[in-house]
Amino acid sequence: MKTYSMICAVLALVVVGCNTSDEIPGFEEEKTVQSDYNLILNTNGILSTQHLNADADSMDFNPDEADAFIDVALPELTYRNEDVLGFYHEQIDCSGKVTLHDFKEDTSNEITVFGDISDCNTLTVTGFTHTSSTVYLSYVIEVNSKNKTYFVRAIDITAGEENFVDIELSKNPLQMVFTNNRVFVLTFDEKETNENGLVTIDINANTIINEMNLGYDARQLFVDVNKDVIIGYDSLHTILNSKTFVLTYVNYEDGKEPNFATSKATFFNSNGNLYYGRPTTDSVFPSIPAIYDFGQRTVYLYYYENFLTEAQMQFEYEIANTTMVSYDNSNGLLLVGYSKATGAGKGGLLRIKVAPEPELIDNINLDGVPYAIYIK
């Protein structure tokens, strides 16, 4: 196994080195606060919830707490807007289903969509976002290989029946995010330039108010704590002011890329730091937990090899890969969900003290693989 000389590996855009504890994102003086973890687990393709009680020193199962979460199959698309986690599922009857679960209010709502379209073989949903009153789905209708039409459907979920508006696009939609009363759509020009673009829709009028070219290889959109849009590329990211459309470009030096642009296991804390699973080639694991500090433009890498023994990694916890990364702000702990190398549908949750150096607090084995978490 490869050995690591750094206790915490830090990739700054300019300087590489370990920072002191008060510079590490999220580091606070030690305290203990009762936290309730609501884990969404993927067990052989079915999502369900598992409640845990935790403080700074320990965590355990809470078998007595129930919730209104409806067990669902693994969705085609997932989108979280604050306390509400949404799923989109294709249906075999030429329609789709949106499930919205509000963790704060503990309510769950299912909505059938595309009931007006009869030929489902030509319809592909590519993006999904939602607000408290509206669900947005981007979709492609294919007449033939050379003739496609592109839309964003805005569905009023407060109406008694499906009430929607279709907004036509000129390019293939790939992904959507919502912020500042606007929906931002990442697009791809598959007919002419092979370049990406960004379309902005005003949700009050359901009309396009801005379009811009993003060049090549834009991977994913994120919304940060300032309600701005982060456009992730392999070798840079762009920050779009969601009100003024002013762009700020952040380039990376070779070998110092944070590599969050393709990660699906992402979480922003209240300080604006991004917690995610970072793909890596210098570990035995495909991805590792990481924190990207946008203010300092520094990424902190948490190699399992640096805070776990070989026996813990291979035999006690049987870690296969990182599936979820989050942060318990009340207790100052990094939360890492992982899949197990043995046992289909099995996983676990590690809690790590991030400063002054990575330290394992505890682990819990789970009958499922962590998919998402909501912390009360």
Side-chain angles (χ1 to χ4, degrees):
M1 178 180 293
K2 183 174 180 177
T3 59
Y4 294 82
S5 59
M6 290 184 292
I7 294 175
C8 73
V10 179
L11 292 182
L13 297 184
V14 178
V15 179
V16 177
C18 275
N19 290 28
T20 59
S21 61
D22 59 351
E23 294 174 311
I24 294 178
F27 176 75
E28 299 178 6
E29 294 298 324
E30 188 171 341
K31 58 183 178 180
T32 182
V33 176
Q34 183 67 39
S35 294
D36 295 324
Y37 299 163
N38 194 336
L39 271 172
I40 307 299
L41 299 179
N42 174 13
T43 306
N44 298 320
I46 301 296
L47 299 184
S48 60
T49 56
Q50 173 66 66
H51 295 275
L52 303 174
N53 290 332
D55 56 28
D57 302 313
S58 63
M59 64 176 166
D60 203 355
F61 294 104
N62 181 353
D64 298 325
E65 185 168 351
D67 59 53
F69 185 89
I70 301 171
D71 290 2
V72 295
L74 196 66
E76 281 74 36
L77 297 169
T78 303
Y79 189 86
R80 181 167 181 171
N81 185 0
E82 297 182 347
D83 297 319
V84 180
L85 184 63
F87 308 111
Y88 173 77
H89 290 90
E90 293 181 355
Q91 301 291 287
I92 60 174
D93 59 351
C94 300
S95 65
K97 182 177 72 174
V98 170
T99 304
L100 302 173
H101 185 82
D102 187 325
F103 287 97
K104 185 176 181 179
E105 301 298 330
D106 190 26
T107 57
S108 206
N109 187 21
E110 288 188 350
I111 305 140
T112 299
V113 296
F114 298 119
D116 60 302
I117 298 177
S118 59
D119 187 359
C120 63
N121 292 326
T122 68
L123 187 150
T124 304
V125 174
T126 60
F128 168 46
T129 186
H130 52 83
T131 71
S132 60
S133 61
T134 310
V135 164
Y136 298 88
L137 296 164
S138 61
Y139 66 101
V140 179
I141 291 181
E142 182 176 349
V143 178
N144 53 56
S145 61
K146 295 183 179 181
N147 188 4
K148 299 179 183 179
T149 52
Y150 316 112
F151 299 92
V152 169
R153 176 166 290 198
I155 305 168
D156 182 359
I157 60 176
T158 65
E161 56 185 33
E162 188 173 353
N163 183 14
F164 63 86
V165 174
D166 276 334
I167 304 150
E168 188 165 4
L169 307 175
S170 61
K171 299 178 180 66
N172 186 14
L174 302 179
Q175 185 213 351
M176 297 190 296
V177 295
F178 166 79
T179 183
N180 266 329
N181 290 324
R182 293 167 174 175
V183 171
F184 294 84
V185 187
L186 178 65
T187 64
F188 177 67
D189 187 350
E190 61 183 357
K191 295 179 180 178
E192 296 180 2
T193 68
N194 290 328
E195 291 184 283
N196 293 109
L198 190 69
V199 173
T200 306
I201 298 171
D202 177 82
I203 69 167
N204 295 314
N206 283 325
T207 56
I208 295 172
I209 59 172
N210 189 66
E211 294 189 61
M212 62 177 63
N213 182 36
L214 297 180
Y216 298 99
D217 300 326
R219 303 298 186 189
Q220 189 173 180
L221 305 180
F222 306 84
V223 176
D224 67 15
V225 292
N226 299 317
K227 296 186 177 182
D228 292 329
V229 178
I230 307 245
I231 306 161
Y233 299 79
D234 293 336
S235 59
L236 75 150
H237 69 263
T238 300
I239 303 172
L240 171 72
N241 186 301
S242 61
K243 291 183 178 179
T244 66
F245 301 113
V246 171
L247 295 167
T248 302
Y249 300 93
V250 180
N251 292 291
Y252 314 138
E253 293 182 10
D254 289 342
K256 300 177 183 178
E257 300 87 352
N259 289 341
F260 61 76
T262 59
S263 178
K264 301 302 180 184
T266 59
F267 167 77
F268 275 100
N269 76 347
S270 57
N271 294 324
N273 301 314
L274 179 67
Y275 295 74
Y276 63 104
R278 182 185 188 272
T280 182
T281 58
D282 55 0
S283 170
V284 297
F285 303 98
S287 65
I288 59 172
I291 307 172
Y292 185 73
D293 185 328
F294 281 88
Q296 298 297 319
R297 297 183 180 178
T298 301
V299 60
Y300 300 79
L301 307 182
Y302 291 86
Y303 288 94
Y304 291 106
E305 292 91 337
N306 287 339
F307 56 87
L308 297 176
T309 66
E310 186 169 352
Q312 287 173 320
M313 289 185 292
Q314 293 190 9
F315 303 110
E316 187 174 355
Y317 306 143
E318 302 175 304
I319 297 172
N321 196 20
T322 306
T323 63
M324 185 210 77
V325 184
S326 191
Y327 189 70
D328 180 348
N329 189 68
S330 298
N331 294 296
L333 297 176
L334 183 66
L335 309 179
V336 181
Y338 63 91
S339 59
K340 288 185 177 289
T342 58
K346 302 292 185 179
L349 180 69
L350 295 168
R351 302 198 306 162
I352 304 158
K353 183 178 177 182
V354 298
E357 59 187 48
E359 177 188 350
L360 174 67
I361 299 300
D362 52 14
N363 169 80
I364 195 164
N365 294 317
L366 300 163
D367 287 327
V369 178
Y371 183 83
I373 189 169
Y374 179 78
I375 304 173
K376 296 181 182 179

